[in-house]
Amino acid sequence: FATQDLLLFTPNGESIPSFVLRSYGLVEIASDTTIKSSYSLLIIEAISIIISLTSIFIYKMRAFQIRLSILNAFVLLGLVGMIAYLGFDFQSAGASLGIKAWLALPFISIIFQALAAQGVIKDELIIRMSNRLR
């Protein structure tokens, strides 16, 4: 995800995109040089990955797993917000904006985090109901 193009920018008067937003910053396509560094996206992505992996491997602590899933959804919302901020910041300099398909992945991940939290909540309720029947 770090080297994938998230947003394309076409300066006014041109027909071909000249700049691209990646996780590590704004890159000029022709020379492949970083114009504006933004490692904040990369850090937020790394935090999301760490939270997801932690959430997968602590399946015996369901309450904590639910909290981590909700936290990860908020981290991903922050990632989307940061991408939007950087995109509109450069767009205000006079460039048109193009969205790539990779930008849909955080939204899909937010949906899956919500579904995972919902599934863990259902499992916890089933376990509590079975303990009550004993």
Side-chain angles (χ1 to χ4, degrees), residues 9-13 19 26 35-36 85-97:
F9 298 102
T10 307
N12 289 340
F19 303 99
L26 187 65
I35 295 172
K36 184 178 180 183
Y85 170 75
L86 292 172
F88 289 125
D89 183 39
F90 193 68
Q91 185 184 13
S92 66
S96 60
L97 180 68

Side-chain angles (χ1 to χ4, degrees), residues 1-133:
F1 191 65
T3 60
Q4 299 300 325
D5 302 341
L6 300 173
L7 299 173
L8 295 173
F9 298 102
T10 307
N12 289 340
E14 294 184 23
S15 60
I16 300 173
S18 299
F19 303 99
V20 65
L21 179 67
R22 294 186 180 145
S23 292
Y24 55 87
L26 187 65
V27 177
E28 185 177 6
I29 295 174
S31 63
D32 202 34
T33 58
T34 304
I35 295 172
K36 184 178 180 183
S37 174
S38 83
Y39 287 103
S40 58
L41 292 177
L42 200 59
I43 291 170
I44 293 172
E45 289 173 5
I47 290 170
S48 176
I49 290 169
I50 291 169
I51 291 173
S52 294
L53 288 175
T54 304
S55 179
I56 289 171
F57 292 113
I58 60 163
Y59 53 88
K60 290 189 179 193
M61 298 186 291
R62 287 176 291 280
F64 189 57
Q65 195 176 22
I66 293 167
R67 289 187 191 117
L68 282 181
S69 294
I70 293 170
L71 175 68
N72 198 15
F74 283 121
V75 168
L76 288 168
L77 282 174
L79 175 70
V80 171
M82 185 64 116
I83 291 170
Y85 170 75
L86 292 172
F88 289 125
D89 183 39
F90 193 68
Q91 185 184 13
S92 66
S96 60
L97 180 68
I99 298 174
K100 297 291 284 186
W102 289 104
L103 195 57
L105 289 179
F107 292 109
I108 293 169
S109 183
I110 289 169
I111 293 169
F112 285 148
Q113 288 293 328
L115 290 173
Q118 185 180 14
V120 173
I121 289 170
K122 285 182 182 178
D123 287 346
E124 182 68 22
L125 290 175
I126 290 171
I127 290 170
R128 287 186 184 183
M129 286 172 43
S130 68
N131 285 340
R132 195 175 338 150
L133 292 175

